[in-house]
Amino acid sequence: RNIIFDDLSFQIYQQQMYLDKLEYENLKRDLRSAVKNGEFKLYYQPKIKINDNQNKIGGVEALIRWEHPTLGLVSPQRFIKIAEESSLIREIGDWVIEEAFKQLSNWQNKYDSDLSISVNLSPLELYDKNKSARIKNLSQKYKIRRELIEFEITENALLDNRSDTIKTLNELKNLDFSIALDDFGSGYSSLSYLSRLPIDTLKIDKSFIAKLADSRNIILIDSIINLSHKMNLKVIAEGVENSEQLEIMKKLNCDEIQGYYFYKALPVDQFEKILEENYNY
Ligand code: C2E
Ligand code: MG
Ligand code: MG
Ligand code: MG
C-alpha cells in the first residue's frame, strides 16, 4: 500500500469535489439572472422525413443554449439539471415555450408551410397545475396552429406515476398539441407507456442508433417500430450520424431522422438560410 500516493489522490479527489461544488453553486447563482439578462437562445435541429424518399424537413426540435457572459456556451446537459434542482426550471421552461411559439408564429407568417416545432418539457413542468392553461394563453397570444407544436417528455417524467403528470399531458392533448416520448430505450422504458399515455410520437434514443451493428438491436428496433405503427405512432430516430445508420432506419420504416448526419442544432438565421436555399421556402 502506497500511503503517500493514496493520500495525494485523496487530496486531488477532495479538491475536485470542491471545484465541482463551486461550479455548481456559481452556475446556480448565474442561472437566476440568465432569463432576465436574455442569455438564453433557442437553436433548432431539423427533423428529416424519410418515409417518402424526399428527405424533406418536416419540423425542428427547439434546443436551449445558454450564452454565459464569461463561461461561453454552457450545455443544457449541465444546467437543466441545476435548474430542475432549484425550481428555476419553471421560469426557464416558460421562456422556452414562449420563444418557440413566437418563432412558430413568425414562420407561419413568413412561409406557407406546415413546419412543426418540438419543445422539451421537464418532469417538474408537468407537475405544475397551471401549466396547460398558461400554454393555452400563450398559443392564443401568438395565434399559432397548435397541431404544429409537439411537447417532448422523457420516461423519467413518468417513473413516479404521478396523476398530475398524466393530467397535464391529457390537457395538452385536448388542446390539439402533440406529445412525443423522448429518449425511448435509454432508461427503464416500459412498453406499457405506449398504451397508457396520450402520445403521438416515439423518439428512439441515440444510444440504440449507436449500436446498430448488433443484430439483436436491429430486431428490437424493428419490433418497436412495427408496434408503434400499429398503434398509430410516428417514430423518429435521434442521433443518426452516418449513411449506414440512415439506410438501416429506412429499411426498418422509421418515419423521421434527427442527427448530425443531416444537421446539428442551428441558430435561427442559419436554419432559415437552409430552408430558403435548399428547400424552396
Ligand atoms: P434531447 O431532448 O434528447 O435532445 C437531443 C440531443 O441530442 C441534443 O443535445 C442534440 O444536439 C443531440 N444530438 C442530435 N443529433 C445528434 C447526433 O447525431 N449525435 C449526437 N451525439 N448528439 C446528437 P443538446 O442540445 O445538448 O440537449 C441535451 C438535452 O438537454 C436534451 O436532450 C434535453 O433533454 C435537454 N434540453 C435541451 N433543451 C431543453 C429545453 O429547452 N428544455 C428542457 N427541459 N430540456 C432541454
Ligand atoms: Mg428532446
Ligand atoms: Mg432525445
Ligand atoms: Mg437526451
Side-chain angles (χ1 to χ4, degrees), residues 15-31:
Q15 207 163 37
Q16 190 53 49
M17 290 261 292
Y18 173 74
L19 288 176
D20 287 350
K21 178 96 178 92
L22 195 69
E23 193 202 30
Y24 180 93
E25 292 302 334
N26 284 343
L27 285 179
K28 192 159 104 185
R29 182 200 59 210
D30 296 347
L31 264 181

Side-chain angles (χ1 to χ4, degrees), residues 146-161:
R146 291 192 200 123
E147 71 274 18
L148 295 181
I149 294 284
E150 182 161 76
F151 290 106
E152 298 192 359
I153 54 157
T154 55
E155 40 195 38
N156 38 352
L158 312 161
L159 279 184
D160 42 9
N161 236 324

Side-chain angles (χ1 to χ4, degrees), residues 61 120 152 182 203:
E61 177 173 5
N120 292 285
E152 298 192 359
D182 201 358
K203 295 190 80 171

